[in-house]
Amino acid sequence: MHSIIQNCLHGDLSDICEAAKSEGMTPEALSRNIIAGRTILLKNEAREYKPCVIGEGATVKINVNIGTSGVTCDPAKEMVKAKAAIQNGADAIMDLSTGGDLAAIRKEILKLGIPVGTVPIYEAVRRAGNVVDLTADILFSVILDQAKQGVDFMTLHCGVNLDVLDALTLDPRVMGVVSRGGSFHTAMMLSSGEENPLYKEYDYLLEILDEYEISLSLGDGMRPGAYVDSSKLAKSQEYLTLGKLARRAKDKGVQRMIEGPGHMDYNEISYNVKMIKEITDFAPLYLLGPLVTDIAPGYDHITGAIGGAAAACAGADFLCMVSPSEHLALPNVDDIIEGTRVCKVAAHVGDLSRRRDVELPRQAKMAEARKNLDWQAQYDLSLFGGHAKEIHDRDGECETCSMCGDLCAIKIVEKALEKKI
Amino acid sequence: MHSIIQNCLHGDLSDICEAAKSEGMTPEALSRNIIAGRTILLKNEAREYKPCVIGEGATVKINVNIGTSGVTCDPAKEMVKAKAAIQNGADAIMDLSTGGDLAAIRKEILKLGIPVGTVPIYEAVRRAGNVVDLTADILFSVILDQAKQGVDFMTLHCGVNLDVLDALTLDPRVMGVVSRGGSFHTAMMLSSGEENPLYKEYDYLLEILDEYEISLSLGDGMRPGAYVDSSKLAKSQEYLTLGKLARRAKDKGVQRMIEGPGHMDYNEISYNVKMIKEITDFAPLYLLGPLVTDIAPGYDHITGAIGGAAAACAGADFLCMVSPSEHLALPNVDDIIEGTRVCKVAAHVGDLSRRRDVELPRQAKMAEARKNLDWQAQYDLSLFGGHAKEIHDRDGECETCSMCGDLCAIKIVEKALEKKI
């Protein structure tokens, strides 16, 4: 079996043609980006679904996290959430379940027809029973099991190593470690005094990922969990490590992307994104947030959209949905829908910067539709046309909108111009 | 009677002391900014309410538009909206009513205890019966009537003049004129061939505003209504005019601010804000939007928050709430609440840039509260604490949140650290 990168290297572009077309790229251009490691293609050969291209040259994609927890475990509801996310624009789903029959839940989610990601260490901790009883063997066996099951991309916190713990000690943070995966690895290392097995046995990990054509998402275990922690050393230390690991993955023909923080000052987003890209050899960047303030719980989908749009314009390639219930509770279906739509808007703002050739004509058509008061055309061109129509029609269908009514600026100037002519 | 600017010039700081305190500024610093015209104080002497400072040195303020329309006219509901807006953080209310008994509606709104703005030409058109029958006399009599009634600031489209019409003809826009006030003035000029009376008789206008201590909001009648129109000449032509008018107002001791566009590419926001400030002698900038895409109707509060946060960080001083029903319908109460909160988040992101001395300690406290899983402290520090508590408690009150449950990263690392020690 040949990996996507290997096929590209050998000039066999058959498995990327459809993906290139969906992005409006030539297969040759996509192939060059994949070989350079600047773009990846999430596509597990074992399943049939629309391929998802992430990185340079592609539109900004969005991921939606769903999953049970120990407190709230209703797998059927998680399926409803996953479907709602896809309907509202999710390009990928990550199953972060930590409660219930994890393999069974994942099996259902893998039927959904889009790329599915996981964080294997969650299941590994459940299998071990306790984080301090977690071993490298358990972790690798979970990775293998999930790989065989057909998972497309995995968040693996390979960069949370002993050096990172040193940086955490040297430059402490108020909130310490807030990434769950990061916290498990930190606890393992603190408990055993030994190196993170994913870092220590990285070559073995790459072999598994290569065999099952799984994309590696290099997790940001040191993602700052607070605004005041955002410039502390641990984060930068981890990125330096991820930069080395990203190069090693590329050399082994394994597709990979980088996960990014977290909480960050708005004015620091652009240079952080550019710096992370540079450090990690321009690997695709998968961003959680960035959340630009800590004091808006309940509205973190908004702080995430503000940060996400800035990040996407600066070069981030893949945005993780932040729901209105972030920091507070497991999201419900409404949270998933709202969070997904808001994230989609942020990603679209990025596309307007990155893909002006495609996006400008759409903006021009929308302007024409508005000028002509052609509501159906407006809905057809909109990101969420059905929702827009509902709002417009709630005061009864009318030619203008119920805000301006007879004092519609568009109509007034049009009439005035007619008279002049 | 002496105006605020005149009192500051004479060293009488009595009427700005309270306002300075509420902003954490010294009266002397606020006085210097007011004299320089970089900051204004909305405070009609005729009424009792909390003063509102807008401009350099102050926090970013937000305005919420309410008002009846010809299609939907329920003044009681507009009062409910105004109160909901204030409860959720509105610093000022603009009454944009165009349907029903306009003076009576305004009378009620003026009782609300915060600054109230209007767009007098709306009432003038109603009084004239038709935009082509609108005369300078009618317009000035409405301005006088509203001034006597106690309105604090007025949007007056003084910069929509014959030069602007030339620019529109020379560099046409798909959507022409979308500002309602701009469209009325455009129609008047096209119909009569004469200059905009507010431009022609600007000195007389300034006399009225000075007499009643009304702040002038120099309206952006050429606000682009479409992404593809955002860099056309008419907008810049108007700003150049507003720059001259802003200087003349300052010389006459009239407080004024500038209204800004509109639809704009995300990457153009920062330099546009800085350029508008420079052109208008650093007058306070009141922004509508900026909306960074046209294709998200129903989610324009999000596109407005993305644009508004960028603008506030670049120097905008006053953000106008954009509701989820923008471009579609008159907002309902839920739209007003949601739009206000989202706008407040955007303004706060600006404050984090502008007022780090005040905002950083709040972020630090929030990080401590999160680390300690102290939920009450989190709600107390939050912009919308009650809303956050509702989300957290919906799965039952628990020590962690229902997303992470027993796998709470904060608790895991804390435990691991304890064992090591």
Side-chain angles (χ1 to χ4, degrees):
Chain A
M1 197 174 118
H2 285 291
S3 73
I4 290 171
I5 295 183
Q6 282 170 330
N7 285 343
C8 286
L9 281 168
H10 292 111
D12 173 4
L13 308 186
S14 56
D15 45 351
I16 67 164
C17 275
E18 188 192 339
K21 198 177 163 193
S22 73
E23 294 292 334
M25 300 170 79
T26 63
E28 290 73 20
L30 178 55
S31 169
R32 279 193 299 273
N33 283 357
I34 288 174
I35 291 169
R38 291 177 174 229
T39 305
I40 64 174
L41 175 61
L42 301 181
K43 179 81 189 81
N44 189 314
E45 290 297 313
R47 296 190 292 122
E48 269 307 309
Y49 62 80
K50 191 171 160 279
C52 176
V53 184
I54 296 171
E56 261 187 44
T59 55
V60 178
K61 301 301 188 297
I62 71 173
N63 172 70
V64 173
N65 292 336
I66 56 113
T68 60
S69 82
V71 175
T72 308
C73 181
D74 181 345
K77 196 180 273 177
E78 297 311 309
M79 283 301 292
V80 174
K81 289 184 197 171
K83 286 174 186 168
I86 295 168
Q87 268 173 356
N88 284 284
D91 299 292
I93 294 284
M94 285 194 80
D95 173 24
L96 305 188
S97 291
T98 58
D101 182 343
L102 302 181
I105 293 169
R106 203 160 44 237
K107 190 178 165 189
E108 290 304 308
I109 289 169
L110 283 165
K111 292 177 186 167
L112 284 172
I114 63 169
V116 173
T118 59
V119 188
I121 199 170
Y122 293 179
E123 183 171 7
V125 170
R126 287 296 186 213
R127 207 178 280 187
N130 194 305
V131 67
V132 290
D133 297 321
L134 178 56
T135 62
D137 284 348
I138 295 174
L139 182 52
F140 278 107
S141 69
V142 168
I143 292 169
L144 257 170
D145 288 350
Q146 293 194 1
K148 287 175 188 165
Q149 210 182 355
V151 165
D152 307 292
F153 64 105
M154 293 181 182
T155 292
L156 294 161
H157 301 85
C158 309
V160 180
N161 61 11
L162 292 171
D163 286 345
V164 162
L165 288 193
D166 281 347
L168 257 184
T169 311
L170 184 65
D171 191 17
R173 308 195 297 190
V174 175
M175 291 206 63
V177 182
V178 300
S179 146
R180 259 193 290 181
S183 79
F184 296 146
H185 284 290
T186 302
M188 277 176 84
M189 288 188 289
L190 284 170
S191 155
S192 66
E194 287 178 22
E195 188 53 279
N196 172 356
L198 298 181
Y199 178 73
K200 198 170 152 195
E201 299 175 56
Y202 188 62
D203 285 328
Y204 173 52
L205 175 65
L206 292 178
E207 279 172 32
I208 298 174
L209 299 175
D210 182 38
E211 186 179 347
Y212 292 90
E213 190 71 72
I214 289 164
S215 292
L216 168 61
S217 193
L218 284 160
D220 59 336
M222 291 302 124
R223 169 171 85 247
Y227 182 93
V228 293
D229 287 342
S230 71
S231 301
K232 298 286 184 173
L233 215 55
K235 179 190 73 171
S236 302
Q237 176 66 48
E238 188 183 27
Y239 281 119
L240 278 173
T241 308
L242 296 186
K244 296 172 196 165
L245 297 177
R247 283 167 174 79
R248 283 169 62 187
K250 193 178 81 170
D251 290 345
K252 293 275 186 180
V254 172
Q255 298 194 107
R256 79 284 178 266
M257 57 185 155
I258 311 294
E259 292 185 15
H263 292 239
M264 196 182 291
D265 183 85
Y266 180 83
N267 299 292
E268 295 171 2
I269 292 174
S270 176
Y271 73 74
N272 263 279
V273 165
K274 291 174 200 297
M275 185 53 76
I276 294 169
K277 279 261 176 177
E278 191 170 308
I279 288 174
T280 61
D281 200 21
F282 300 93
L285 180 58
Y286 175 22
L287 272 197
L288 316 175
L291 300 182
V292 292
T293 180
D294 292 2
I295 65 162
Y299 281 85
D300 276 326
H301 57 314
I302 308 299
T303 67
I306 291 171
C313 288
D317 306 287
F318 192 29
L319 300 181
C320 188
M321 180 273 265
V322 176
S323 99
S325 62
E326 184 75 24
H327 297 109
L328 296 168
L330 199 69
N332 61 26
V333 179
D334 288 342
D335 290 337
I336 292 284
I337 293 172
E338 192 65 8
T340 302
R341 289 178 175 176
V342 166
C343 186
K344 191 78 184 169
V345 172
H348 162 68
V349 173
D351 285 337
L352 257 173
S353 286
R354 297 157 72 111
R355 299 287 302 265
R356 297 182 70 80
D357 52 329
V358 179
E359 295 298 334
L360 266 181
R362 194 172 173 186
Q363 300 288 331
K365 280 179 198 160
M366 188 68 173
E368 282 288 344
R370 282 211 167 122
K371 181 194 164 197
N372 298 329
L373 295 168
D374 181 345
W375 295 97
Q376 190 55 51
Q378 291 180 50
Y379 306 143
D380 292 344
L381 288 160
S382 293
L383 289 175
F384 314 107
H387 176 69
K389 180 170 165 48
E390 265 176 38
I391 296 176
H392 178 256
D393 290 352
R394 73 184 174 204
D395 291 323
E397 286 185 49
C398 51
E399 191 195 357
T400 62
C401 79
S402 57
M403 186 190 276
C404 294
D406 61 326
L407 297 184
C408 171
I410 297 167
K411 291 188 70 129
I412 284 165
V413 173
E414 203 174 329
K415 266 192 204 165
L417 280 168
E418 276 168 16
K419 279 193 191 163
K420 213 194 168 184
I421 295 158
Chain B
M1 196 175 119
H2 286 292
S3 71
I4 290 171
I5 294 182
Q6 283 170 330
N7 286 342
C8 287
L9 280 167
H10 291 109
D12 174 4
L13 308 186
S14 56
D15 46 349
I16 67 165
C17 274
E18 189 192 339
K21 199 176 163 193
S22 73
E23 293 292 334
M25 299 170 81
T26 64
E28 290 73 20
L30 178 55
S31 170
R32 280 193 299 274
N33 284 356
I34 287 174
I35 291 169
R38 292 178 173 228
T39 305
I40 63 174
L41 176 60
L42 302 181
K43 178 83 188 78
N44 189 315
E45 290 296 313
R47 295 190 292 125
E48 269 306 308
Y49 60 80
K50 194 171 158 278
C52 177
V53 184
I54 295 171
E56 261 187 43
T59 55
V60 179
K61 302 301 186 297
I62 70 172
N63 171 72
V64 173
N65 292 335
I66 57 114
T68 59
S69 81
V71 174
T72 309
C73 181
D74 181 345
K77 196 179 272 177
E78 296 311 309
M79 284 301 292
V80 175
K81 289 183 198 173
K83 287 175 186 167
I86 295 169
Q87 269 174 357
N88 285 285
D91 299 292
I93 294 284
M94 285 193 81
D95 172 24
L96 305 189
S97 289
T98 57
D101 182 343
L102 301 182
I105 294 169
R106 203 160 45 236
K107 191 177 168 191
E108 290 305 307
I109 289 169
L110 283 164
K111 293 177 185 165
L112 285 172
I114 63 169
V116 173
T118 57
V119 187
I121 200 169
Y122 293 179
E123 184 171 5
V125 170
R126 286 296 186 214
R127 207 177 279 188
N130 192 306
V131 66
V132 290
D133 297 321
L134 179 57
T135 62
D137 284 348
I138 297 175
L139 183 52
F140 277 106
S141 69
V142 168
I143 291 169
L144 257 171
D145 289 349
Q146 293 194 2
K148 287 176 189 165
Q149 208 182 358
V151 165
D152 307 292
F153 63 105
M154 292 181 183
T155 292
L156 294 161
H157 301 85
C158 310
V160 179
N161 61 10
L162 292 172
D163 286 346
V164 162
L165 288 194
D166 282 346
L168 258 184
T169 311
L170 184 63
D171 193 17
R173 308 194 297 191
V174 176
M175 291 205 62
V177 182
V178 299
S179 146
R180 259 192 291 181
S183 78
F184 297 147
H185 284 290
T186 301
M188 278 176 84
M189 288 188 289
L190 284 172
S191 155
S192 67
E194 285 177 23
E195 187 54 279
N196 172 356
L198 297 181
Y199 178 73
K200 199 170 154 195
E201 300 175 56
Y202 188 62
D203 284 328
Y204 173 53
L205 176 67
L206 291 178
E207 280 171 33
I208 299 174
L209 300 175
D210 182 38
E211 186 178 346
Y212 292 90
E213 190 70 77
I214 288 163
S215 291
L216 167 61
S217 194
L218 283 161
D220 58 336
M222 292 301 125
R223 170 170 85 247
Y227 182 94
V228 293
D229 287 342
S230 71
S231 299
K232 298 287 182 172
L233 215 54
K235 180 189 74 171
S236 301
Q237 176 65 47
E238 187 181 28
Y239 280 119
L240 277 173
T241 308
L242 296 185
K244 295 172 195 164
L245 298 176
R247 282 167 175 80
R248 283 170 62 188
K250 193 179 82 171
D251 290 346
K252 295 273 185 181
V254 172
Q255 298 195 105
R256 79 286 178 264
M257 57 186 158
I258 311 294
E259 294 184 13
H263 293 239
M264 196 183 288
D265 183 86
Y266 181 83
N267 299 292
E268 293 169 5
I269 292 174
S270 176
Y271 72 75
N272 263 280
V273 166
K274 291 174 201 298
M275 184 52 77
I276 295 168
K277 279 258 175 181
E278 193 171 305
I279 288 175
T280 62
D281 200 23
F282 300 93
L285 181 58
Y286 176 21
L287 272 195
L288 315 175
L291 301 182
V292 292
T293 180
D294 293 0
I295 65 162
Y299 280 84
D300 276 326
H301 57 313
I302 308 300
T303 67
I306 291 171
C313 289
D317 305 288
F318 193 27
L319 300 182
C320 188
M321 179 274 264
V322 176
S323 97
S325 60
E326 183 75 23
H327 297 107
L328 296 168
L330 199 69
N332 61 25
V333 180
D334 288 342
D335 290 336
I336 293 284
I337 294 172
E338 191 66 10
T340 303
R341 289 177 174 177
V342 166
C343 186
K344 192 79 183 165
V345 172
H348 161 68
V349 173
D351 286 338
L352 257 173
S353 285
R354 295 158 73 111
R355 300 288 302 265
R356 297 183 71 78
D357 52 329
V358 179
E359 295 297 335
L360 266 181
R362 192 171 175 187
Q363 299 288 329
K365 281 179 197 158
M366 188 68 173
E368 283 288 344
R370 281 212 168 124
K371 180 195 163 193
N372 298 329
L373 294 168
D374 181 345
W375 294 97
Q376 191 54 52
Q378 291 180 50
Y379 306 143
D380 292 344
L381 288 160
S382 293
L383 290 175
F384 314 106
H387 176 71
K389 180 169 163 51
E390 264 176 38
I391 295 175
H392 178 254
D393 290 354
R394 73 183 175 203
D395 291 323
E397 287 185 47
C398 51
E399 191 196 356
T400 62
C401 78
S402 57
M403 186 190 276
C404 294
D406 60 326
L407 297 183
C408 171
I410 298 167
K411 292 188 67 131
I412 284 165
V413 172
E414 203 175 327
K415 266 193 202 166
L417 281 166
E418 276 168 15
K419 277 192 190 162
K420 213 197 170 185
I421 295 160

